[in-house]
Each structure stands twice: as C-alpha cells, then as structure tokens.
Amino acid sequence: MSFDDRYYTLSVFRQKPMMNAADWACKYRYMPSTSTMFSFDMSPYFEEPTRYMSDIAETACVIIKCVSQAGKTEALLNVLGWICEYDRANTMLVFDTLKSGIKLCRNRIRPYLRDTCGINNPNNARNKDPDKSNSVFDIGLGRGANLTIASSKS
C-alpha cells in the first residue's frame, strides 16, 4: 500500500469541516427541481436567519415573520439538513395544527430527507403518537434521533 492509498483511505473517514446551515446549504444541498445547487440569490434575506438557526450555542429562538411563499420552508429544510449532517439530535417543529404539520412532512420534509440526507428507511418514517393525544407525529432520523411534528392545537 503506497502513501497515496493510505492518505485516501484516511480521508474517506475524515469528518466534513464544521460550518453553519447557510454555508452547508450552499455547498451540499442539491435542488432536483432546478438541477442546480442551492443558492440564496433568490432570497438573500433568509441567509441570516438560516445562519442563526444553526448557532445553537448563542441562539434560543428564531422567529421569521414574512409573507407566504417567500422561502420560509427552504430555510427550515436547510437547517434540517444541517442537523442531519452535524448535530443529529431530537428536534421538534410546532405547527398551528397537526394536519398542516403532517401535510408539510409528507410533501416536503420526507422527500427532502430521502433525496438530500439519504434517510429512506420505511421503519424510520413512522406515525407514532406515544400518548395518544393526536398532536404528535415522529420521523426517525437515525442514530436514535427523531424529528417530532407537533401542534399547538389538538
């Protein structure tokens, strides 16, 4: 085994450099609908909130208040991809109703996790309501982490 082969073997196991969610999205997120890499060119005003959402040491809460169809879901998906890559931990998203949360989950979040993050295990994508309250919907992210879709109303 030559020196180059050993270097390549070790580089396969090297962790990606730590970066915030905005930089991660620009470097690693592929947009299948446009066949391009993600860019904040169309909505530069979401770069800063996306950056703050991944700063878990300094930021407790990020509130985005803007018009509909502006890119809020894309910012959320960028942060979910960053969580799957760097900080795979239990995460909760709270929606106004469980129906709207499940709709977003089925139409946007699950395809995104499958296409971008490689999470496509049908055993991980389960509808689990542990306390039978009809206000919780879990998605397994792997390595013991879950994405919980919850509602403020039942």
Side-chain angles (χ1 to χ4, degrees):
M1 180 181 269
S2 70
F3 178 74
D4 292 335
D5 292 338
R6 283 181 283 175
Y7 178 76
Y8 177 74
T9 304
L10 292 175
S11 68
V12 170
F13 296 108
R14 190 171 296 138
Q15 188 177 15
K16 293 179 182 176
M18 188 63 172
M19 57 182 62
N20 61 45
D23 295 338
W24 177 89
C26 291
K27 186 167 183 176
Y28 296 111
R29 184 170 177 205
Y30 177 74
M31 304 290 287
S33 59
T34 60
S35 300
T36 60
M37 296 303 285
F38 179 82
S39 172
F40 284 103
D41 292 341
M42 297 298 287
S43 55
Y45 40 84
F46 278 114
E47 186 170 1
E48 189 174 359
T50 303
R51 193 176 309 279
Y52 280 115
M53 281 190 268
S54 61
D55 185 11
I56 55 178
E58 297 292 325
T59 307
C61 180
V62 175
I63 298 172
I64 300 174
K65 188 174 181 180
C66 66
V67 299
S68 63
Q69 301 294 321
K72 296 181 292 292
T73 303
E74 294 302 319
L76 173 70
L77 292 176
N78 289 336
V79 173
L80 286 177
W82 179 84
I83 287 171
C84 288
E85 183 75 33
Y86 289 110
D87 189 28
R88 197 169 287 194
N90 291 328
T91 306
M92 178 182 282
L93 302 176
V94 180
F95 290 88
D96 55 345
T97 64
L98 186 61
K99 186 176 179 180
S100 65
I102 290 174
K103 183 178 176 186
L104 179 74
C105 177
R106 288 191 178 134
N107 294 335
R108 301 293 301 275
I109 295 175
R110 278 188 180 168
Y112 171 75
L113 291 174
R114 180 191 64 229
D115 297 341
T116 303
C117 303
I119 299 172
N120 193 23
N121 187 350
N123 294 330
N124 284 344
R126 61 193 181 277
N127 183 358
K128 185 175 80 173
D129 186 4
D131 59 355
K132 306 292 186 241
S133 64
N134 293 323
S135 62
V136 174
F137 186 80
D138 279 347
I139 301 170
L141 296 178
R143 290 191 262 169
N146 288 322
L147 171 64
T148 302
I149 308 291
S151 69
S152 56
K153 303 175 199 173
S154 53

